[in-house]
Amino acid sequence: KQEVTQIPAALSVPEGENLVLNCSFTDSAIYNLQWFRQDPGKGLTSLLLIQSSQREQTSGRLNASLDKSSGRSTLYIAASQPGDSATYLCAVVQSTGANNLFFGTGTRLTVIP
Amino acid sequence: NAGVTQTPKFRVLKTGQSMTLLCAQDMNHEYMYWYRQDPGMGLRLIHYSVGEGTTAKGEVPDGYNVSRLKKQNFLLGLESAAPSQTSVYFCASSPLGRGQSPLHFGNGTRLTVT
């Protein structure tokens, strides 16, 4: 069974710092990977979707990379702001044809003004 | 544009009681999903639907039933609630399956079973 791990579980950084969040998965036979943001008491918001054939995706200050062979993805946030404080989750879909997303437990990010 | 709406937002049940969670989406999405989120665990798929009138089991379907009689609605039922079903339940929808398009989530239903 696919296992998705996100380390660290929590991270605090000062405002303006660039940072990297990590996601690793045990089975490299994935179809795609998504990064989500979750604010307290809210649902998840999709940030970036990377297909298995892609190496990275960018949206504004966010850049996500994917290395299937090593089972890793990173989410790079440039010039962090207090409004970036949230929990960030990654999820993968297997290439076997299933509709299930396997989620990590997330990294809780706090950006300190 | 409301997106995905879940009702109720909170609910407390006694063991053995039943309830239905309602999810409604106004984006004309084919795919709809029910997930549960528990502390220390990632979201886990309970059931999903690939279109009106269809349902399929996810990773943790036991103790739950679902129905999709109308394209815009996806209902999750608990016939006899157990304390192990205490969780936050999220509904999501997407136009395409297999994560090919971003999922849109509701704000969740926090369920406590005593």
Side-chain angles (χ1 to χ4, degrees), chain B residues 33-107:
Chain B
Y33 314 82
W34 277 107
Y35 283 90
R36 60 179 288 174
Q37 185 176 37
D38 301 294
M41 305 184 74
L43 276 79
R44 292 179 293 169
L45 182 65
I46 304 170
H47 286 280
Y48 66 96
S49 168
V50 302
E52 182 178 317
T54 75
T55 63
K57 292 180 180 179
E59 186 183 353
V60 288
D62 294 342
Y64 305 95
N65 56 75
V66 288
S67 64
R68 184 129 180 242
L69 299 179
K70 293 183 180 180
K71 186 176 184 179
Q72 63 268 32
N73 296 336
F74 195 30
L75 280 63
L76 178 71
L78 286 72
E79 290 187 347
S80 180
S84 61
Q85 294 177 304
T86 294
S87 187
V88 181
Y89 292 85
F90 287 100
C91 176
S93 71
S94 63
L96 302 174
R98 299 191 66 198
Q100 294 178 86
S101 55
L103 268 66
H104 298 254
F105 279 81
N107 285 332

Side-chain angles (χ1 to χ4, degrees), chain A residues 1 31-32 34 36 38 41-46 49 51 89 93-105, chain B residues 31 33 35 37 40-45 48 50 58-59 90 97-108 110:
Chain A
K1 182 192 163 188
Y31 192 62
N32 53 52
Q34 286 191 48
F36 296 86
Q38 184 175 26
K42 300 291 186 183
L44 282 68
T45 300
S46 181
L49 169 61
Q51 301 297 341
L89 300 98
V93 174
Q94 296 298 103
S95 58
T96 53
N99 274 291
N100 191 16
L101 270 70
F102 289 93
F103 282 83
T105 52
Chain B
Y31 291 78
Y33 314 82
Y35 283 90
Q37 185 176 37
M41 305 184 74
L43 276 79
R44 292 179 293 169
L45 182 65
Y48 66 96
V50 302
E59 186 183 353
F90 287 100
R98 299 191 66 198
Q100 294 178 86
S101 55
L103 268 66
H104 298 254
F105 279 81
N107 285 332
R110 185 173 294 276

Side-chain angles (χ1 to χ4, degrees), chain B residues 8-29:
Chain B
K9 290 183 172 55
F10 303 93
R11 186 71 186 269
V12 178
L13 286 179
K14 292 188 181 342
T15 297
Q17 288 184 320
S18 64
M19 76 164 295
T20 300
L21 282 67
L22 172 63
C23 176
Q25 54 98 0
D26 62 1
M27 296 170 284
N28 202 36
H29 287 171

